[in-house]
Amino acid sequence: MPEGHTIHRAARDQRPMLIGHVLDISSPQGRFLEGAERISGHVCKAVEAYGKHLLYDFSNGMTLHIHLGLFGKFRAIKVPADEPRGAVRVRMISATHVVDINGPNTCEVLDMSGRDKLVARIGPDVLRADADREKAWKKISKSRSAIGQLLMDQAVIAGIGNIYRSEILWRQKLHPNVAGKDVSREAFEQIWDDSVALLEKGVKHNAIITVDGAVKARSKYGERVNIFNKPSCPACASAIRRFEIAKRRAFACETCQIAPEI
DNA sequence: TTGATTGTTACCGG
DNA sequence: TCCGGTAACAATCA
């Protein structure tokens, strides 16, 4: 089962399992989900994703907000369900399915006001039809921060994670350390369009695939990538440089990706 | 037992 | 206000 980012996206495909009358919400591990009683027994009418945030909207105006973070996982099974595996934080029970959520970064019940505040602070999501890419361009083109930093800032542009960051910048021949303000409009447009294409592909295959033409994922994480955690550049065979951006692993081919002027 | 991990927020200081 | 740095948290596995 692929993990992390693709799971967030795959959750969109899990809509049918989660829409409908939620008979019960329980916390098998005993950790109380604050506000659980406000959604238990109500109808989940829609599931929306804003970046990596998932919003389960209930017909009484309440929303279950889930963010899986690094470790979170969904496990969806048909009834009758077996015992929860591991540290299940919330078990959502419908007439036909049970969804267990383990290890989410965020797991909370929001009212409409809380939901609005959340959505307002999330930047444009490359996978949403209503995304306003101009908002992302305004922030990037004014920022002294590195583009590698900005692509991971979910308030700037939502949906891109650590693997996609390295892969997208490599595909656009742009070095992660280039300042946002030094990124051309044309390069930004290409980054945005490529992000859409790659993340849509990720949703479709439930795996991170950034190599053109590749479909099947071979590695244990179900990914197929060009430079992330790779020793050499598939284009020029140069060694891939490893470094850190804000304590996260970053990769770049300094032959193919133009380094910033110091 | 330790370290690493596809993420995020809070807080502080410059 | 912006930006970088640090700590904290989440669960699991090698």
Side-chain angles (χ1 to χ4, degrees):
Chain A
M1 190 81 167
E3 306 169 22
H5 191 102
T6 56
I7 281 287
H8 306 157
R9 299 304 178 176
R12 293 182 169 185
D13 297 332
Q14 291 172 6
R15 282 184 192 199
M17 287 189 291
L18 296 164
I19 284 182
H21 193 193
V22 175
L23 300 174
D24 192 26
I25 303 270
S26 62
S27 300
Q29 300 306 308
R31 290 194 208 215
F32 184 60
L33 170 62
E34 195 174 344
E37 75 285 353
R38 306 188 71 173
I39 53 176
S40 186
H42 291 275
V43 173
C44 177
K45 59 179 184 179
V47 183
E48 279 207 79
Y50 287 86
K52 304 164 192 171
H53 298 259
L54 295 170
L55 303 179
Y56 297 82
D57 291 325
F58 286 78
S59 50
N60 64 345
M62 304 304 290
T63 295
L64 176 63
H65 170 213
I66 302 289
H67 191 299
L68 293 178
L70 270 180
F71 317 120
K73 282 182 176 61
F74 286 108
R75 181 167 169 263
I77 51 183
K78 292 180 179 175
V79 292
D82 56 7
E83 288 300 303
R85 294 184 193 174
V88 172
R89 184 69 60 79
V90 173
R91 167 166 277 196
M92 299 177 69
I93 304 166
S94 78
T96 56
H97 289 82
V98 169
V99 174
D100 283 345
I101 303 172
N102 291 59
N105 185 329
T106 302
C107 182
E108 62 183 355
V109 177
L110 300 175
D111 58 17
M112 287 183 179
S113 163
R115 187 191 192 283
D116 289 345
K117 280 184 202 165
L118 171 68
V119 171
R121 72 176 171 80
I122 303 171
D125 173 352
V126 295
L127 282 183
R128 288 187 66 90
D130 60 9
D132 180 2
R133 70 169 75 187
E134 207 60 32
K135 278 187 177 176
W137 170 244
K138 276 182 184 160
K139 286 186 178 172
I140 289 172
S141 61
K142 285 178 187 167
S143 177
R144 288 168 285 145
S145 297
I147 186 63
Q149 178 85 22
L150 294 165
L151 291 188
M152 289 280 282
D153 185 342
Q154 304 296 306
V156 172
I157 182 170
I160 296 169
N162 199 31
I163 296 178
Y164 283 114
R165 162 175 67 184
S166 282
E167 293 294 308
I168 289 165
L169 290 174
W170 179 83
R171 288 165 59 96
Q172 300 308 325
K173 308 287 181 243
L174 189 59
H175 196 284
N177 287 343
V178 171
K181 62 183 175 52
D182 295 329
V183 173
S184 70
R185 176 75 197 221
E186 184 187 16
F188 165 75
E189 296 292 341
Q190 288 176 353
I191 287 171
W192 182 283
D193 291 340
D194 204 30
S195 300
V196 174
L198 291 180
L199 268 65
E200 283 182 346
K201 193 169 185 177
V203 170
K204 182 178 174 186
H205 296 283
N206 200 17
I208 299 173
I209 302 168
T210 59
V211 176
D212 287 336
V215 174
K216 279 184 78 174
R218 285 187 306 194
S219 75
K220 64 174 177 174
Y221 291 120
E223 54 186 55
R224 195 168 178 117
V225 297
N226 293 291
I227 64 166
F228 190 89
N229 210 22
K230 302 284 186 187
S232 60
C233 175
C236 75
S238 301
I240 295 298
R241 188 164 90 82
R242 300 173 168 240
F243 55 109
E244 282 191 349
I245 301 177
K247 293 294 172 189
R248 303 299 304 280
R249 295 195 285 172
F251 301 84
C253 170
E254 294 187 323
T255 303
C256 293
Q257 295 171 261
I258 301 162
E261 304 282 340
I262 306 292

